[in-house]
Amino acid sequence: MPTALLIIDIQHALCHGPDAVENSAAVIDRVNQLADQARAAGAPVIFVQHEDEDALQRGSEGWQLMPGLHQQPEDLHLPKRGSDAFHHTELQAMLKMRHISALVICGMQTEYCVESTVRRALALGYPVTLAADAHTTAPNGVLTVAQVIAHHHATLAGLGSYGVRASIRPVADIRF
């Protein structure tokens, strides 16, 4: 099954400052492992970058992908303005043009852009592997980051109404 890797919003503004995500360095290391493996298998690597009028304004320091991410000239880049990477973007067309029928998803932030993109991918018929140890979020004052992640793992793995499912696997168990 042709698979693509979606790397969601690993941007400077989400990794630095008072609202920074937890464990960004460890997540980036695992994302790099996935990207290297995807490229070796000939799978497309797609970097998704959120844009807004504040900290993630296109071209600003906050909008930039984090240094340390392994990027290659053949990688694809996709801007987005909403939480769902499919919403008003060219993602679906990019996937169809490459005959992609499954996705591996990782990135930031678990309960926003990662979760929204996983749900939309499932609704569009793409089986999803969510890299369990390659996504993160920021503390929210209600739940710990670990609780947010655990909740979303349970919820997304439990969705069955789309005909395809999300599997939650650690990076070490993911193959392209």
Side-chain angles (χ1 to χ4, degrees):
M1 182 176 306
T3 303
L5 173 63
L6 293 185
I7 301 172
I8 299 175
D9 299 349
I10 302 185
Q11 295 168 259
H12 194 269
L14 298 177
C15 296
H16 295 283
D19 298 321
V21 298
E22 282 189 2
N23 304 316
S24 63
V27 167
I28 290 169
D29 286 343
R30 288 187 285 274
V31 167
N32 284 336
Q33 292 172 32
L34 285 172
D36 294 345
Q37 183 190 143
R39 288 185 203 98
V45 174
I46 305 169
F47 287 94
V48 179
Q49 283 176 270
H50 195 89
E51 297 179 358
D52 64 24
E53 301 307 318
D54 298 315
L56 295 170
Q57 188 171 18
R58 185 180 189 91
S60 70
E61 180 182 4
W63 174 83
Q64 301 298 324
L65 292 172
M66 281 296 293
L69 279 172
H70 295 177
Q71 297 181 67
Q72 297 297 321
E74 68 270 16
D75 294 340
L76 303 168
H77 294 267
L78 179 78
K80 69 174 179 59
R81 295 191 67 79
S83 294
D84 169 3
F86 289 93
H87 184 69
H88 296 301
T89 72
E90 296 299 314
L91 181 55
Q92 176 105 0
M94 292 168 76
L95 299 173
K96 283 187 176 198
M97 186 171 73
R98 290 163 179 81
H99 307 287
I100 299 301
S101 56
L103 299 172
V104 173
I105 297 179
C106 58
M108 299 171 184
Q109 287 183 266
T110 301
E111 73 275 36
Y112 296 110
C113 300
V114 171
E115 186 266 351
S116 295
T117 301
V118 169
R119 283 181 185 263
R120 184 69 171 284
L122 293 171
L124 292 169
Y126 294 97
V128 172
T129 299
L130 177 60
D133 51 353
H135 66 96
T136 188
T137 195
N140 65 23
V142 177
L143 300 172
T144 67
V145 168
Q147 289 171 321
V148 170
I149 290 170
H151 168 77
H152 282 82
H153 286 174
T155 302
L156 293 170
L159 292 174
S161 61
Y162 296 113
V164 293
R165 301 203 60 119
S167 64
I168 316 300
R169 295 188 188 154
V171 168
D173 293 347
I174 296 173
R175 300 289 175 263
F176 288 86

